[in-house]
């Protein structure tokens, strides 16, 4: 781990680096070797987000079909004073990125006189350094302690002290299946103290037609986003799979209550990924799952949090009832 401290205005900025580029590369190799030899083939959605994928996702969030970002923002803007009134002095943000989602909460906590520390947690060191400096400038006197890490290995590095509120927004919890969510909640709870909180954004079950449209937009942006993961494999693992030889599929799995994104080979394909010494073939019509996005009923969120030791304090939805924001405290 590297630990650097600097000054921005009147605030200290500290950056703890637990995840280095070589570790990210090794994680991709492990996931690709495991997923591309599975039946059906799979890849975790975290590999969508290289520079190109991140730009495409930003475009997706502004599409008319893609409601989650707008609905969650509506709730955050409406309920920020109530969130601040809960009394946390430390906001921890998992998957912080540029901190655009939580600035309204940070501002509300600051106005309420509670904000003492902000802990952004993300895999991108460059993005965290930029956003940490911006938040420090925006909130003089607030300590900013950035953590470069991933959810799978580094939740235990969240600094202790104060009354902490962990924000996990964007519906990202839906990218985990039920077993993964159970493990995530347990590990998170293990690093928190009784009375610490969780602010969880979770998408709600609704008509399959609306869900499918949100993940298969008319402009084809999500299709480009999905196919970009093939470019990531080619670039990082020295392969030559043609991204344009894959079709994009989004379908609703009613049993698991989740949207699934798949790539379907439009013709027989063969490639060698030299970096992992793997020959990969696809038959025409063969599909590879690249994302799950679970949707929840309000009572399911309450039950899962309770199992992990959290007590639901507030559960808010947008005016249309599409998305939920859940405030819970650790018992």
């Amino acid at each position: 781990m590297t630990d650097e401290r600097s000054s921005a205005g009147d605030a200290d900025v500290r950056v703890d680096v637990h995840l280095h580029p070589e570790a990210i590369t090794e994680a991709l190799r492990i996931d690709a070797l495991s997923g591309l030899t599975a039946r059906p083939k799979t890849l975790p959605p975290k590999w969508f987000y290289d520079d190109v994928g991140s730009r495409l996702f930003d475009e997706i969030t502004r599409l008319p079909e893609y409601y989650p970002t707008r609905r969650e923002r509506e709730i955050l803007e409406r309920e920020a004073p109530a969130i601040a009134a809960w009394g946390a002095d430390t906001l921890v943000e998992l998957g912080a990125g540029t901190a655009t989602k939580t600035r309204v909460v940070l501002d509300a906590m600051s106005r309420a006189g509670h904000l003492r520390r902000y802990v952004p947690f993300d895999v991108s060191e460059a993005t965290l350094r930029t956003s940490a400096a911006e938040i420090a400038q925006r909130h003089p006197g607030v300590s900013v302690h950035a953590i470069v890490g991933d959810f799978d290995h580094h939740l235990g590095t969240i600094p202790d002290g104060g009354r902490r509120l962990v924000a996990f927004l964007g519906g990202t919890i839906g990218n985990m299946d039920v077993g993964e969510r159970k493990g995530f909640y347990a590990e998170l709870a293990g690093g928190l103290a009784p009375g610490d909180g969780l602010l969880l954004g979770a998408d709600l079950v609704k008509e399959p037609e609306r869900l499918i449209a949100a993940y298969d937009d008319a402009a084809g942006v999500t299709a480009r986003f999905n196919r970009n993961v093939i470019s990531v494999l080619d670039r990082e693992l020295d392969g030559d799979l043609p991204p344009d030889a894959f079709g994009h599929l989004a379908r609703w799995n009613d049993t698991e209550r989740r949207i699934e994104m798949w790539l379907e080979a439009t013709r027989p394909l063969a490639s060698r990924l030299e970096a992992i010494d793997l020959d990969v073939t696809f038959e025409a019509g063969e599909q590879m799952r690249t994302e799950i996005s679970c949707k929840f009923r309000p009572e399911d969120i309450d039950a899962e949090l309770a199992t992990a030791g959290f007590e639901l304090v507030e559960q808010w939805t947008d005016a249309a009832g599409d998305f939920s924001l859940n405030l819970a405290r650790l018992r």
Side-chain angles (χ1 to χ4, degrees), residues 27-46:
L28 173 59
R29 291 176 175 177
I30 292 170
D31 285 346
L33 187 59
S34 172
L36 293 174
T37 55
R39 292 292 182 271
K41 295 180 174 69
T42 62
L43 284 174
K46 63 183 176 182

Side-chain angles (χ1 to χ4, degrees), residues 1-8 11-21 96-97 117-136 142-149 157-159:
M1 182 194 81
T2 59
D3 172 1
E4 299 178 13
R5 188 181 292 274
S6 61
S7 177
D12 284 333
V13 176
R14 171 175 172 172
V15 181
D16 291 350
V17 182
H18 300 278
L19 186 66
H20 295 276
R117 181 174 54 168
Y118 174 53
V119 182
F121 185 115
D122 202 275
V123 296
S124 172
E125 181 177 351
T127 300
L128 275 186
R129 289 186 181 278
T130 299
S131 64
E134 290 176 354
I135 295 298
V142 172
S143 174
V144 181
H145 185 165
I147 306 292
V148 182
T157 67
I158 294 172

Side-chain angles (χ1 to χ4, degrees), residues 315-326:
Q315 187 173 71
W316 300 290
T317 67
D318 58 281
D322 286 337
F323 199 89
S324 71
L325 189 64
N326 305 271

Side-chain angles (χ1 to χ4, degrees), residues 10 37 77 105 124 129 145 178 180 188 278 282 307-308 313 326:
D10 295 327
T37 55
E77 291 175 351
V105 177
S124 172
R129 289 186 181 278
H145 185 165
V178 62
E180 292 167 333
L188 181 63
L278 180 67
F282 285 85
T307 299
V313 177
N326 305 271

Side-chain angles (χ1 to χ4, degrees), residues 244-265:
D244 61 1
F246 289 89
H248 165 70
L249 299 174
R251 58 177 176 249
W252 173 246
N253 182 330
D254 192 58
T255 302
E256 302 291 341
R257 291 199 295 274
R258 69 191 190 192
I259 283 285
E260 298 175 353
M261 292 208 318
W262 298 74
L263 289 171
E264 182 178 63

Side-chain angles (χ1 to χ4, degrees), residues 187-225:
E187 185 173 1
L188 181 63
L192 298 179
D196 285 343
L198 172 63
L199 186 65
L200 179 71
D203 199 6
L204 299 176
V205 172
K206 55 186 64 66
E207 301 87 350
E209 294 77 15
R210 286 192 62 209
L211 290 167
I212 292 170
Y215 291 82
D216 191 12
D217 60 278
V221 182
T222 310
R224 297 200 301 275
F225 173 73

